[in-house]
């Protein structure tokens, strides 16, 4: 037996996006783990059944329309396989990641268990965002660990009763967003973002294909400690320091004095939904105001104030904000925000633990990107930071992303209680114009785009020497031929100059 309920605003948007891209790859979370030890597949299946019975979104489907249908009962979808090698396990993991979800029939949660040896397994968990967002996955992994341990002991899992389910929250959300409240929120956002460019233009516009890549950079514990020290000295949060640095780098790269970042808000203000699974998360816009060549300390105050104001007005669903702002229709770019930022303190990334087993997550380089660019900082147990960039490779190349991550680290290295952290005043588009002119002169062409490959445009080694000479004579910076060979684009060379502090 099933019961129908209205969708939340976020569910409606995600269902629309899923039907635009039925593969669903950009709207799902897929995690792969290597498990070493006496894994009990039967107990794992029982534990998952407990969670499916406990959380309605794990037995909910979305037929075409505006309602979600919840089944009164259900079972976990678990597939058990045997594999001969780890390479085969990873191949199957990627196949599972590429397998689309059927929103109308389900399931929206799948677990694949692959046995390599009696004491070595690979687990691939695939869950659609409609069933569980990021905070939900943290809850899910914690409760799975408890339910698994209970199943091993032949006992019933002891979990606190849920006072509400997701459909209750969805109904409450709609009740709260009255027409008067919606208009008040919309008016505030329209005034706040009036005159702010809604496209960041980090790279020239081009078709967005959703081909995802990941790159990361580990910031040593010393750098992370400096960030924490600055946050403490300025009475700000670590998030504020990290977001301010990210906004500053993006503004410098795009030549903009105002940068809009997308933040994922958990929307779990009510204590009743703290342990409820579902798609609560929404996007709120954070305005990073860089006007006046502001130093980092003053920028922290601006970002903290903007964050508080944005969260105070977060109840306007993002898709309604986009409709109200009416940005120019451009299929090559996401509306309003193109870069999302996130910070995960230790213990908030949903690490999986199974009793008596060692569990290691294997990072899959998934062929999809949820957004054009997401910068995510994860705090590690050793005190260091890992900064992740998940990006659409049809928009950005690895050199560009490497330059962004390097510049972000430079700002954070300078972010100490005793130092002013600043970036070169000259906007990067001026530097790129200069480099483009050098490339065009040497290649004897009318113009060269930032991402044009020097050699594919007809250049050769002797001309590259001429480029190096002109960069030294005109820009006062020495780059080796090896560096120019490795980064044969205007954008790539500009990123290298950013890292070396060129004027």
């Amino acid at each position: 037996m099933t019961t129908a309920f209205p969708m939340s605003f976020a569910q409606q948007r995600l269902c629309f996006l899923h039907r635009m891209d039925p593969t669903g790859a950009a709207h799902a979370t897929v995690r792969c783990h290597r498990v070493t030890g006496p894994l009990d597949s039967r107990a794992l299946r029982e534990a998952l059944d407990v969670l499916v019975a406990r959380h309605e979104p794990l037995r909910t489907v979305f037929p075409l329309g505006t309602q979600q249908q919840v089944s009164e009962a259900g079972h976990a979808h678990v597939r058990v396989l045997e594999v001969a090698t780890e390479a085969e396990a990873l191949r199957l993991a990627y196949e599972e990641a590429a397998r689309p979800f059927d929103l109308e029939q389900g399931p929206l949660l799948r677990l694949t268990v692959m046995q390599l040896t009696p004491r070595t397994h690979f687990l691939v968990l695939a869950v659609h965002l409609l069933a569980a967002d990021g905070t939900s996955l943290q809850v899910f992994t914690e409760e799975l660990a408890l339910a698994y341990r209970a199943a091993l002991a032949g006992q019933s899992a002891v979990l606190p009763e849920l006072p509400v389910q997701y459909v209750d929250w969805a109904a409450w959300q709609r009740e709260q967003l009255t027409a008067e409240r919606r208009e008040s929120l919309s008016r505030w956002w329209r005034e706040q973002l009036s005159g702010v460019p809604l496209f960041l233009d980090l790279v020239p516009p081009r078709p967005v294909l959703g081909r995802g890549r990941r790159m990361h950079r580990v910031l040593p514990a010393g750098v992370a400690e400096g960030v924490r020290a600055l946050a403490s000295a300025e009475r700000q949060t670590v998030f504020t320091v990290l977001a301010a640095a990210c906004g500053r780098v993006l503004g410098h790269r795009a030549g903009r004095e105002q940068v809009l970042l997308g933040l994922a808000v958990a929307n779990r203000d009510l204590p009743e939904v703290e342990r409820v699974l579902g798609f609560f998360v929404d996007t709120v816009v954070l305005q990073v105001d860089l006007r006046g060549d502001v130093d980092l300390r003053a920028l922290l105050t601006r970002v903290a104030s903007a964050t508080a104001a944005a969260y105070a007005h977060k109840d306007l669903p993002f898709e309604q904000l986009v409709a109200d702002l009416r940005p120019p229709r451009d299929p090559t770019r996401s509306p309003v925000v193109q870069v999302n930022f996130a910070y995960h303190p230790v213990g908030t990334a949903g690490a999986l633990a199974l009793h008596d087993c060692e569990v290691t997550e294997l990072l899959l380089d998934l062929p999809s990107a949820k957004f054009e660019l997401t910068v995510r900082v994860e705090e590690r147990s050793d005190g260091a930071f890992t900064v992740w960039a998940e990006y659409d490779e049809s928009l950005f190349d690895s050199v560009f992303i490497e330059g962004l991550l390097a510049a972000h680290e430079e700002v954070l290295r300078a972010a100490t209680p005793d130092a002013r952290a600043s970036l070169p005043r000259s906007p990067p588009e001026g530097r790129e114009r200069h480099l483009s002119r050098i490339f065009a002169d040497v290649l004897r062409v009318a113009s060269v785009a930032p991402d044009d490959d020097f050699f594919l445009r007809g250049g050769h080694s002797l001309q590259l020497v001429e480029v190096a000479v002109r960069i030294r004579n005109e820009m006062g910076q020495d780059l080796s031929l090896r560096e120019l060979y490795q980064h044969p684009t205007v954008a790539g060379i500009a990123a290298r100059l950013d890292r070396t502090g060129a004027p």
Side-chain angles (χ1 to χ4, degrees):
M1 179 178 178
T2 61
T3 307
F5 300 92
M7 295 186 198
S8 69
F9 297 116
Q11 285 178 322
Q12 283 184 322
R13 182 180 82 251
L14 195 56
C15 281
F16 172 78
L17 293 174
H18 180 96
R19 291 184 172 98
M20 293 291 289
D21 175 18
T23 64
H27 309 122
T29 299
V30 181
R31 303 177 70 170
C32 180
H33 300 84
R34 180 193 292 111
V35 180
T36 304
L39 180 69
D40 189 322
S41 297
R42 176 200 56 81
L44 186 59
R45 186 188 295 269
E46 289 182 10
L48 280 173
D49 281 341
V50 167
L51 297 192
V52 171
R54 174 175 169 80
H55 295 285
E56 288 181 355
L58 300 182
R59 41 191 167 86
T60 297
V61 294
F62 297 83
L64 187 62
T66 59
Q67 292 187 316
Q68 52 186 315
Q69 294 187 354
V70 182
S71 298
E72 287 190 354
H75 294 282
H77 183 88
V78 182
R79 186 170 57 142
V80 181
L81 306 172
E82 291 188 0
V83 293
T85 63
E86 180 170 337
E88 181 185 2
L90 290 176
R91 178 180 61 79
L92 292 173
Y94 278 104
E95 288 182 3
E96 175 64 11
R99 194 153 63 97
F101 285 88
D102 185 341
L103 299 192
E104 298 192 21
Q105 300 296 324
L108 301 187
L109 170 72
R110 307 190 298 252
L111 179 68
T112 302
V113 181
M114 295 177 280
Q115 179 177 321
L116 178 61
T117 71
R119 292 183 59 84
T120 303
H121 293 76
F122 296 87
L123 304 183
V124 181
L125 179 72
V127 57
H128 200 280
L129 285 175
L130 285 166
D133 57 18
T135 304
S136 297
L137 284 177
Q138 174 72 21
V139 174
F140 177 86
T141 54
E142 291 173 0
E143 294 188 351
L144 180 62
L146 294 172
Y148 176 73
R149 186 161 190 160
L152 286 175
Q155 302 172 351
S156 297
V158 179
L159 297 170
E161 183 178 352
L162 294 176
V164 298
Q165 289 284 351
Y166 181 83
V167 295
D168 301 309
W169 179 83
W172 174 86
Q173 182 195 39
R174 289 183 172 275
E175 291 172 0
Q176 296 299 305
L177 195 64
T178 62
E180 182 180 2
R181 172 67 171 157
R182 187 205 177 286
E183 175 54 31
S184 174
L185 291 169
S186 175
R187 183 168 54 251
W188 185 88
W189 279 110
R190 293 196 307 269
E191 293 174 355
Q192 190 73 13
L193 300 180
S194 177
V196 179
L198 300 183
F199 294 110
L200 193 54
D201 292 327
L202 285 169
V203 295
R206 65 196 72 180
V208 177
L209 303 178
R211 296 198 301 259
R213 292 292 302 274
R214 290 178 182 176
M215 184 180 293
H216 75 279
R217 192 179 188 92
V218 176
L219 305 186
V223 177
E225 184 54 41
V227 170
R228 287 187 281 265
L230 176 63
S232 177
E234 299 297 319
R235 298 185 178 181
Q236 304 289 2
T237 64
V238 171
F239 164 83
T240 299
V241 177
L242 295 170
C246 181
R248 185 153 209 164
V249 169
L250 293 170
H252 177 70
R253 189 72 182 84
R256 292 287 174 80
E257 291 189 318
Q258 296 188 76
V259 174
L260 301 182
L261 294 179
L263 305 180
V265 291
N267 276 333
R268 292 175 182 260
D269 301 335
L270 298 176
E272 292 88 347
V273 300
E274 182 179 348
R275 306 294 300 179
V276 174
L277 263 60
F279 186 47
F280 293 88
V281 70
D282 199 6
T283 298
V284 70
V285 181
L286 172 63
Q287 184 177 0
V288 182
D289 186 354
L290 303 166
R291 288 175 293 184
D293 191 35
V294 62
D295 65 30
L296 187 55
R297 284 183 175 179
L299 181 59
L300 295 182
T301 301
R302 292 184 184 182
V303 170
S305 176
T307 302
Y311 274 72
H313 297 84
K314 65 179 175 56
D315 292 335
L316 183 68
F318 181 70
E319 70 276 6
Q320 296 188 26
L321 172 62
V322 172
D324 293 344
L325 293 176
R326 299 178 182 177
R329 295 177 62 88
D330 188 341
T332 69
R333 289 180 284 189
S334 300
V336 184
V337 293
Q338 294 82 52
V339 180
N340 287 262
F341 180 81
Y343 165 58
H344 296 296
V346 171
T348 61
L352 179 64
L354 296 172
H355 179 65
D356 212 21
C357 293
E358 178 183 344
V359 182
T360 304
E361 183 168 2
L362 305 177
L363 297 174
L364 301 177
D365 195 6
L366 300 178
S368 64
K370 292 181 175 64
F371 305 101
E372 293 173 25
L373 172 62
T374 297
V375 178
R376 185 178 72 254
V377 183
E378 293 182 356
E379 189 173 12
R380 306 185 343 171
S381 58
D382 61 3
F385 289 145
T386 300
V387 184
W388 287 95
E390 179 184 281
Y391 61 98
D392 189 326
E393 66 175 352
S394 61
L395 285 173
F396 307 106
D397 62 26
S398 60
V399 174
F400 180 91
I401 298 299
E402 179 188 3
L404 284 183
L405 294 179
H408 189 232
E409 179 177 351
E410 286 182 17
V411 173
L412 293 177
R413 283 185 178 276
T416 66
D418 302 320
R420 167 192 168 102
S422 61
L423 288 172
R425 288 191 179 188
S426 57
E429 79 273 16
R431 177 178 296 159
E432 285 198 354
R433 277 200 300 268
H434 195 161
L435 290 168
S436 294
R437 189 173 68 250
I438 292 175
F439 269 44
D441 289 349
V442 172
L443 292 171
R444 293 178 174 79
V445 296
S447 64
V448 175
D451 296 302
D452 284 352
D453 187 290
F454 179 82
F455 297 105
L456 294 181
R457 289 297 304 269
H460 53 71
S461 300
L462 291 179
Q463 289 176 314
L464 198 63
V465 173
E466 186 179 349
V467 169
V469 171
R470 288 194 54 174
I471 290 175
R472 182 182 61 198
N473 293 340
E474 299 176 21
M475 306 181 72
Q477 187 72 15
D478 278 318
L479 289 180
S480 69
L481 288 178
R482 180 182 180 86
E483 289 176 301
L484 295 175
Y485 269 112
Q486 290 177 334
H487 309 288
T489 66
V490 167
I493 294 175
R496 295 295 300 171
L497 295 178
D498 279 344
R499 294 182 64 180
T500 57

